[in-house]
């Protein structure tokens, strides 16, 4: 959801070969095609947020996956994001696998 807010994501096919796409600088998430540059934009967006969240954690904030998604929904400030609307309407999102994907990669790198 957050990466699609960074730049265009294209509809593809589940059957497209990942290695062929990768050689072209494109990642496949299910049937969505995401250029590598979108991940760079995502990293540029999320790293300062993670810095601030770490500082808040040092002051006692406990970050659960739901709280993290709520924060990211606030920070994305993009009406095309489902999580933006969850934030705006105070709808909790439960995600047991938050670290299984790009957010997990960024947390690990952070």
């Amino acid at each position: 959801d957050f990466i699609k807010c960074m730049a265009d994501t294209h509809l593809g096919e589940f059957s497209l070969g990942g290695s062929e796409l990768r050689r072209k600088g494109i990642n496949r998430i299910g049937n969505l095609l995401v250029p590598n540059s979108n991940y760079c934009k995502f990293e540029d967006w999320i790293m300062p947020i993670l810095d601030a969240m770490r500082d808040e954690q040092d002051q006692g904030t406990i970050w659960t996956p739901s709280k993290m998604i709520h924060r990211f929904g606030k920070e994305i400030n993009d009406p095309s994001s489902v999580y933006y609307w969850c934030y705006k309407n105070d709808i909790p999102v439960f995600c047991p696998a938050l670290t299984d994907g790009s957010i997990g990669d960024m947390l690990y790198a952070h």
Side-chain angles (χ1 to χ4, degrees):
D1 181 77
F2 299 116
I3 289 178
K4 74 174 178 51
C5 295
M6 303 293 122
D8 289 339
T9 297
H10 307 281
L11 189 59
E13 306 260 339
F14 285 96
S15 61
L16 292 172
S19 58
E20 174 69 22
L21 291 170
R22 187 74 178 139
R23 281 193 290 278
K24 295 178 180 178
I26 299 171
N27 299 278
R28 184 176 59 79
I29 306 171
N31 65 339
L32 299 176
L33 304 178
V34 184
N36 285 340
S37 60
N38 293 30
Y39 286 94
C40 296
K41 292 174 185 175
F42 176 70
E43 182 177 354
D44 292 343
W45 173 76
I46 202 167
M47 285 306 209
I49 298 167
L50 293 176
D51 289 340
M53 290 170 66
R54 183 192 54 228
D55 293 344
E56 293 167 31
Q57 180 174 297
D58 291 344
Q59 299 302 314
T61 299
I62 297 172
W63 291 106
T64 64
S66 295
K67 285 183 182 178
M68 292 177 73
I69 292 169
H70 187 261
R71 176 61 172 274
F72 298 149
K74 174 185 176 184
E75 299 289 345
I76 196 69
N77 196 28
D78 184 330
S80 71
S81 167
V82 171
Y83 301 123
Y84 166 82
W85 290 107
C86 291
Y87 162 74
K88 292 288 276 187
N89 293 289
D90 204 25
I91 299 169
V93 177
F94 301 97
C95 180
L98 184 66
T99 57
D100 184 19
S102 297
I103 291 175
D105 293 344
M106 295 299 104
L107 286 168
Y108 180 79
H110 190 261

